[in-house]
Amino acid sequence: MFEQIRTALAAALKGPARTPVRRDSFQRGRCEAGFWRRTNPKEVQPILLAAKCYERNERQPGKRSGPLGSVAIEIVELFVNLMDYQTGRLEPSIDTIMRMIKRSRDAVVRGLDNLRTHGFLDWRRRYEPTGNEGRGPQVKQTSNAYRLLLPERAKRFLDRVGIAAPIPDDHAQALAERRATVEEHRTSLELDERALFDVGDTPLGRALARLGKSIKQRESARQTESPSSSIINRRE
């Protein structure tokens, strides 16, 4: 009895058990900017196809499964359907993944690790405030923030089936900036110059250039005549 009393007193003095937060965790709601991005099914679906091809083609002779495993493929399929394409938001808990694909915790954790190891998935561990006042843990671990990726070594499988890989963010940004620069230059050209710019130095391009030059000359002549006509009208 006395031993039980001492144990209870010791537990009371220690206070409530603290819930540890894993190292390299970020606060939920403050770490997702730049990690998630808006996307669409045309960018995400090829990742699933590449993962399936990678699993099948990289399997070693005599092995029942490839480097990812069947559970990892099921996770990618789930993530493709869970993702919010407007924001890129993807944050299911381990329990949610277990429940939706009907797999054990160990199998899910192993599948996630395989996807990350082979470059198909990345995540950020997160924590959030508990709302406790005074004693007790002030923060607790919460679900990870996930994002799907397409590793370079898996893109070749998309080429084999004739599907274009999604354009990387940095390349897409550079392409957009280049298009904006070209369009700005194009709109600065005269009609005849713009025709040659759009069509090239071809018979059609030269014909359109002559037409554009003719239109420009007529406009110029009309603007020159307008002040004279105004003066005559005022004199009359």
Side-chain angles (χ1 to χ4, degrees), residues 140-187:
K140 64 179 180 179
Q141 202 77 41
T142 188
S143 64
N144 296 331
Y146 296 98
R147 63 179 175 185
L148 291 170
L149 304 171
L150 179 59
E152 287 293 330
R153 55 188 171 181
K155 288 181 180 180
R156 66 182 187 274
F157 298 117
L158 296 181
D159 295 336
R160 293 179 185 177
V161 294
I163 295 179
I167 300 176
D169 290 344
D170 54 350
H171 180 73
Q173 179 66 22
L175 185 60
E177 292 175 355
R178 182 174 179 273
R179 285 175 176 170
T181 302
V182 171
E183 182 60 24
E184 183 179 359
H185 171 69
R186 178 182 177 276
T187 54

Side-chain angles (χ1 to χ4, degrees), residues 7-90:
T7 302
L9 287 174
L13 290 173
K14 289 181 179 179
R18 294 185 176 273
T19 303
V21 171
R22 301 187 65 177
R23 183 180 300 178
D24 300 327
S25 293
F26 299 84
Q27 184 170 346
R28 181 177 183 177
R30 296 186 179 180
C31 68
E32 296 85 0
F35 184 75
W36 286 333
R37 69 174 183 85
R38 184 173 181 171
T39 185
N40 58 70
K42 290 184 178 180
E43 289 186 350
V44 176
Q45 287 291 344
I47 299 177
L48 174 58
L49 178 59
K52 291 180 176 180
C53 293
Y54 185 83
E55 169 69 7
R56 181 174 61 254
N57 289 277
E58 294 295 312
R59 185 182 60 175
Q60 298 298 317
K63 298 289 186 179
R64 296 182 59 185
S65 61
L68 300 177
S70 60
V71 176
I73 300 300
E74 292 175 6
I75 292 173
V76 177
E77 289 178 331
L78 174 65
F79 281 6
V80 166
N81 288 286
L82 285 182
M83 181 183 298
D84 182 348
Y85 292 124
Q86 293 297 317
T87 62
R89 180 179 177 180
L90 184 61

